[in-house]
Structure formats: C-alpha cells, structure tokens
Amino acid sequence: MAKQTEMFVLLFVCLSGLVQSTTAMIFWTAYVGVHFYDSSTNQTETRFCECGVYGRSSPLESAAGMVVLPASDPQGCSLDPYPSNDNTTTQGFWIALVKRGNCTFSEKIRAAWARGAAAVVVYNLDGTGNSSDYMAHSDTSGTVAIMIGNLQGVEIANIVRSGVAVSMVIEVGKAHGPWMDTYWLYFLSIAFFIVTGASIIYFGFISAHRLHSLRVIHLTDRRLRNEAKKAIGRLEVRTLKRGDEETKPDSHTCAVCIESYHPGDVVTVLTCGHLFHKACIEPWLLDKRTCPMCKADILKALGVEGPGEEESSSSSVPPPDVPIVTVSGGSGRELLYEVPLNDKHLPTPTLTPQPPTEARQPHHYDNIVFEGETHPQGNVATRG
C-alpha cells in the first residue's frame, strides 16, 4: 500500500508540473477594433477582428484611445519619438502604433509609456503578412502591449498619416496553447480531477477492505473463544478432600501457579489426565490451548479446532506413491529393509525389517581342519 501511495503522489506532482509548464506556454489573443471616417464614402468605417496577441509581460486588460505614430522614427526607438505638441499625447488617452525592428520591444514600450500612452501596438516586419509573434518584454509589466500583423499595421499607419483620426479599442481575447488551445487546459483539469477521484476511491476501498478483514478476524476469534469456553466447561472438575493423593506433601504442585494442592481446592482434570487449579488452567487453555505439562492440545481433543486448522486439514493431500526397493543388511540373521527410491517426497525414509526369505546356510570350508562344531549361539568353535 505504501508503494501505491507513492505512485499516486508522483502522478500528482507530474500533473502539477505539466500544468505549470503548459500555463507558461499559453498566450492570449486580443480583439482589435478600429474606427475612422472615410471621406470617400462619407461613412464611418469600423473594423473588428481577433488579430492581436498580448505580450508575455502585458497585463490582460482592455485599452482604448486615438492611434498616434512616432514623429520621425516609425520603430519608436529614439529617446522621444512622439510629438510633444499633440493634444492627444498630453491627455493620455492614446495608443502608440510602432513598427517592429531596430530596438527591443521593451525600449519601444518604455518610450511610449513615458509619454503616457494607454497601450502600445507593435505591427510585424514587412513581408510577414498578417502573422504575429509572442513578444517578450519582462521589464514593462505595467503597460498593455500587443502585436498585430504587418498588413493591418501598415494600413492603419497610412490612414493616420493621411490626416484621418483613427480610434482603437483593445479587448481581451481567448487563451491559446501549443496543442489544443483552451481545450488543453480543460483536458488537464479533467485528468487531474479523475486522478484525484480515483485515488480517493482506491484509498476508500482499501480502508473498507481492511476494516472488513479486521471485523472477520474479530468475529472468528470471538466465536472460537466462545466455543473454547463451552468445551472447557465440559472438563471434569473436582474438589480436593483431606486424604486425597494430590494433597499429600510429596505430591505434585500446580504447574501454572507453582502452588501445592490443599484440601478444598477446586481442580480441573484435563483430557490427558493432568490436573490443575480450576482458576489457573481455564485462562491458560483459552490462551495456550495445550496442557502445561505434556503440551497436548486439550481444545482439539474437545473438538475445538484452532484458527486455520480446518483449511490446512482440508487442503492436505496424501503423498504420492513412491517406488520402494528391498535391500538386505545386518549380521547374524539376514534382515531385509524397504528403502524409497525418491526421498524428495519422504524426507526421512523408514526402514522396515522384513522376515528372511530363506535360512542362512552354514559355510563349508575346503580344508576339513577349519571345520568345527557349531556353538550353541551360532558361532563356530575351531579345533585346538
């Protein structure tokens, strides 16, 4: 169970690290709305699209204001690129539109922020179409900054240069990731809750199983103890009297309490024939089951099986047949022994003596000098 717990903890840590690394790669899009008056059609044009990308350190906030271009440097990299006599820049409700290149994103954003810009919009390099990148500007975290495509940025810049006032609105869009956009976050969240729920269910199941096992063991012990008490109650109980053999000074003492027997003592006689004080032997049998002197299983003799004995007795299988050969040995009379060929099944082979098949014939010597009379015990007496 400890290994399983470690496995779930490791899985939780991995998922947490995956969520954190995925969150670092998620970027947010921006809705960009542009409003201006078209003198050729005498109508106000409104264009709205999800075509911007928030910078990595940009706050996810909305911004609105008039679009202002740098005075001389379209990249906005000079020390003070914005006109100082523009009423829009002095009021603070304006958005800087600069082109990518020549300096870092942080420098462009700081230059516009120093003049009070509400946001900075950077459009991409020439030849990139309407693609945009995920800007990095770690030291300008308090300024709203987005990037748009080159074609859109050039179009807005040309309208502003023609003297037409252009207002812009920036709204927070959607979160996007490297694989499934926001659905990847949903997937990770669901996976996290599934793993957490499975862990809770698993630990609940293990706890319930252990409680059930403990309850079964407790009930089994309780049943065996009750059966043991009833069986002990069937043992012979005597009250010793003066003159009984057990009360004599040289008789045995109770092996449990090591006290001599006295007239009036109540003793219990076990099935093996040994007797003990009733108050001593009953708790002993409930705990030990056996006679303190001969180690005989008293409760088993009374029909109370110990825990696990029924299963072991029912599962016991008699040993398979083992080939046996008969060998001869011994001196004097010829003895025959049965020896198993395979001792793997019978670790301690027994030697069973068999009656001799034929009587031992006396040995005859070629030289008559060595022949003598047979001794009554079977020895040959040689002649002197």
Side-chain angles (χ1 to χ4, degrees):
M1 183 175 180
K3 293 183 178 179
Q4 295 163 345
T5 305
E6 293 176 359
M7 179 186 66
F8 281 111
V9 172
L10 180 60
L11 181 59
F12 173 79
V13 172
C14 292
L15 283 178
S16 301
L18 184 60
V19 169
Q20 293 176 359
S21 61
T22 305
T23 304
M25 292 183 288
I26 290 175
F27 62 92
W28 290 79
T29 59
Y31 292 104
V32 180
V34 178
H35 308 273
F36 62 94
Y37 177 75
D38 190 353
S39 58
S40 62
T41 59
N42 292 327
Q43 292 180 355
T44 301
E45 294 288 339
T46 301
R47 300 173 185 177
F48 192 80
C49 62
E50 187 184 4
C51 47
V53 178
Y54 277 90
R56 294 185 181 180
S57 300
S58 172
L60 297 177
E61 299 176 357
S62 302
M66 302 301 296
V67 177
V68 176
L69 302 177
S72 58
D73 181 12
Q75 285 86 11
C77 295
S78 60
L79 295 178
D80 193 7
Y82 299 95
S84 59
N85 57 353
D86 193 327
N87 293 331
T88 304
T89 58
T90 57
Q91 294 174 1
F93 298 101
W94 60 283
I95 295 177
L97 179 64
V98 296
K99 188 177 181 179
R100 181 178 183 178
N102 288 350
C103 60
T104 63
F105 296 120
S106 298
E107 293 174 347
K108 300 175 187 293
I109 296 171
R110 280 198 301 267
W113 176 80
R115 295 299 301 272
V120 178
V121 178
V122 180
Y123 60 95
N124 212 347
L125 299 172
D126 296 334
T128 58
N130 276 325
S131 64
S132 56
D133 292 335
Y134 193 23
M135 296 187 301
H137 48 97
S138 58
D139 53 349
T140 59
S141 58
T143 305
V144 176
I146 67 171
M147 176 179 283
I148 61 176
N150 175 263
L151 297 180
Q152 184 184 14
V154 170
E155 181 182 6
I156 297 173
N158 291 336
I159 295 174
V160 174
R161 290 192 185 99
S162 66
V164 178
V166 178
S167 63
M168 181 180 291
V169 176
I170 300 174
E171 298 289 344
V172 180
K174 301 176 182 178
H176 296 266
W179 297 284
M180 298 174 61
D181 298 335
T182 54
Y183 297 103
W184 180 248
L185 287 178
Y186 299 151
F187 171 77
L188 289 178
S189 301
I190 293 173
F192 173 77
F193 286 115
I194 289 176
V195 172
T196 303
S199 302
I200 295 175
I201 294 174
Y202 174 78
F203 288 124
F205 173 78
I206 293 297
S207 300
H209 179 71
R210 293 189 63 183
L211 291 176
H212 176 71
S213 301
L214 292 175
R215 178 178 175 83
V216 170
I217 294 174
H218 176 72
L219 292 177
T220 303
D221 292 342
R222 187 174 179 180
R223 177 180 59 82
L224 292 175
R225 192 175 184 86
N226 291 335
E227 293 180 0
K229 288 182 178 179
K230 294 179 181 179
I232 293 173
R234 300 199 304 267
L235 293 172
E236 179 186 356
V237 178
R238 291 171 47 195
T239 301
L240 298 179
K241 300 178 181 179
R242 188 178 301 276
D244 288 344
E245 183 69 23
E246 293 79 10
T247 60
K248 295 181 179 180
D250 56 348
S251 64
H252 297 289
T253 60
C254 176
V256 179
C257 64
I258 319 299
E259 295 287 341
S260 301
Y261 296 109
H262 303 283
D265 289 350
V266 180
V267 296
T268 298
V269 182
L270 303 185
T271 56
C272 59
H274 297 111
L275 58 85
F276 308 89
H277 289 123
K278 184 175 183 298
C280 299
I281 195 60
E282 289 185 355
W284 176 278
L285 291 178
L286 289 176
D287 185 31
K288 306 293 185 181
R289 297 180 57 93
T290 59
C291 172
M293 297 185 66
C294 64
K295 303 302 179 182
D297 194 333
I298 305 302
L299 295 184
K300 187 174 183 180
L302 295 174
V304 180
E305 296 290 341
E309 290 183 1
E310 296 180 358
E311 292 79 358
S312 60
S313 62
S314 61
S315 61
S316 59
V317 179
D321 296 336
V322 180
I324 298 177
V325 297
T326 304
V327 298
S328 62
S331 60
R333 299 181 60 187
E334 202 70 31
L335 297 178
L336 301 181
Y337 297 92
E338 292 181 353
V339 180
L341 289 179
N342 187 2
D343 58 353
K344 180 172 70 174
H345 300 288
L346 297 176
T348 55
T350 56
L351 303 179
T352 305
Q354 300 292 334
T357 55
E358 58 181 357
R360 181 179 179 183
Q361 300 296 329
H363 186 77
H364 296 279
Y365 296 92
D366 293 336
N367 192 343
I368 194 172
V369 177
F370 292 95
E371 287 202 35
E373 297 180 358
T374 304
H375 194 270
Q377 283 78 15
N379 297 329
V380 177
T382 59
R383 301 188 180 203

